[in-house]
Amino acid sequence: MRAGQTGLVSSAPPLLLTQVCHALQQAGFHLVGDGVDDGRPGISVTQVPAGVLVRWTASQGFRSLAIKQPGTSGDSMQAIVRAAVSGLLSQLGHTVTDASDTGDLLIRADQ
């Protein structure tokens, strides 16, 4: 959260958000927005009451390319990105769970 922002109600420690963002950036993932899921390609990290929500959005160019390649789909790439993010954050000691059928990950604040 930026200095001066107000109105965000969450029980998740801001430190968790900072830790997750830092770990993903250090691993080379492209983070987008300030926790705002606006559809831009990359990984968005959003503070939620239970912890931190991580969501990957593929670019339109990638989706178009995946459609044209036999045996390739956006769903398989989604699974690969989710596994990489989950593995990284789990190795760092975070509790990672599936947040939805769309591939979002919840990094739990109850550590």
Side-chain angles (χ1 to χ4, degrees), residues 59-70:
S59 69
Q60 186 60 38
F62 175 80
R63 285 188 289 249
S64 296
L65 180 63
I67 291 170
K68 296 176 185 176
Q69 301 298 318

Side-chain angles (χ1 to χ4, degrees), residues 30-100:
H30 174 69
L31 301 185
V32 294
D34 288 335
V36 177
D37 180 26
D38 60 5
R40 286 187 287 166
I43 293 182
S44 65
V45 182
T46 308
Q47 193 167 346
V48 296
V52 173
L53 189 68
V54 177
R55 173 177 292 144
W56 178 65
T57 303
S59 69
Q60 186 60 38
F62 175 80
R63 285 188 289 249
S64 296
L65 180 63
I67 291 170
K68 296 176 185 176
Q69 301 298 318
T72 304
S73 74
D75 291 343
S76 62
M77 185 55 75
Q78 175 77 21
I80 292 167
V81 171
R82 184 170 63 184
V85 169
S86 178
L88 168 70
L89 296 174
S90 293
Q91 273 192 308
L92 294 174
H94 297 288
T95 302
V96 181
T97 60
D98 290 332
S100 70

Side-chain angles (χ1 to χ4, degrees), residues 8 17 20 40 64 76 99 110:
L8 182 63
L17 179 70
V20 169
R40 286 187 287 166
S64 296
S76 62
D110 54 3

